[in-house]
Amino acid sequence: MPANDPRETVELPPCPAAATMPVREAIAGRRSVRSYADRAMPLEALAGIVWAAQGVTSPDGRRAAPSAGALYPLSLHVVARRVDGLPAGVWRYSPEHHALERRGEGDRRTELAHAALRQHWLDDCAAVLVLAACCERTVHKYGRRGERYVDQEAGFAAGNAWLMARALGLDAAVVGAFVDADVGGVVGLAENQRPLLLLAVGAGGDAIPDDRPPVA
Ligand SMILES: Cc1cc2nc3c(=O)[nH]c(=O)nc-3n(C[C@H](O)[C@H](O)[C@H](O)COP(=O)(O)O)c2cc1C
């Protein structure tokens, strides 16, 4: 089903069928990679990664990552720099439509790296995922403990995304050190949303000593 505004929406292909690396290999090969080749990543790979994080996997709307009370407080944004078939810019993932909706134009990753306490290795990756959340519904149901649940959910979503990246022969690194307001400004978060983590993704650079298992 197309999302509301087709001019501002890129419908995503399904998660690539080639993402069949054994989970053991994906886990054993996961390392935080902070050096990236200046190569575009395929849109299919990005589609698989965002689907793994927050995709709808059940007819009743439940998603790839678990959520306390199935309330789904997370939002997933992509700050894209080099993704084939996706203009550079800020995009928000729509789990319901498996589509990306444009939220901002142009390459914003240098700004994002700046917001992440000048971690300028972020400049080189193909895209950065930003997981954010509106805690209200979860806190309404679970009280203060709901805040913890929302943080835990971000961990599940990022873990899924990272393992999918590995299964597709890509690398990733999580970033927790950033100024919330600055990241919120880059991504265009609403007042009631707070950023929880960043996940850089792309093809690891040649400098990486790679004794990991080969990728199919
Ligand atoms: C919650 C969290 C926040 C992190 N934040 C950063 C960060 O801001 N910058 C960074 O370079 N690495 C960050 N890391 C990555 C850790 O440094 C890394 O996981 C650790 O050195 C172990 O290496 P490995 O991931 O390759 O196994 C973070 C990891 C976690 C779990």
Side-chain angles (χ1 to χ4, degrees), residues 68 73 135-153 194:
C135 293
E136 277 161 23
R137 267 182 304 168
T138 307
V139 168
H140 182 73
K141 179 162 184 183
Y142 297 107
R144 290 288 307 279
R145 195 169 184 82
E147 290 174 15
R148 185 189 301 195
Y149 291 164
V150 172
D151 290 343
Q152 290 170 343
E153 289 181 30
R194 76 186 159 97

Side-chain angles (χ1 to χ4, degrees), residues 30-34 116-117 119 121-122 162 172-178 196-198:
R30 184 211 63 79
R31 283 279 75 81
S32 295
V33 168
R34 302 179 185 86
L117 312 186
Q119 297 192 59
W121 56 268
L122 286 167
W162 199 332
V174 68
V175 167
F178 53 77
L196 300 177
L197 62 82
L198 315 182

Side-chain angles (χ1 to χ4, degrees), residues 79-104:
V79 179
R81 173 179 166 251
R82 292 200 62 189
V83 181
D84 278 336
L86 186 72
V90 179
W91 299 84
R92 180 172 168 148
Y93 179 57
S94 163
E96 293 76 18
H97 301 103
H98 188 52
L100 293 172
E101 298 164 356
R102 194 197 282 273
R103 287 289 189 267

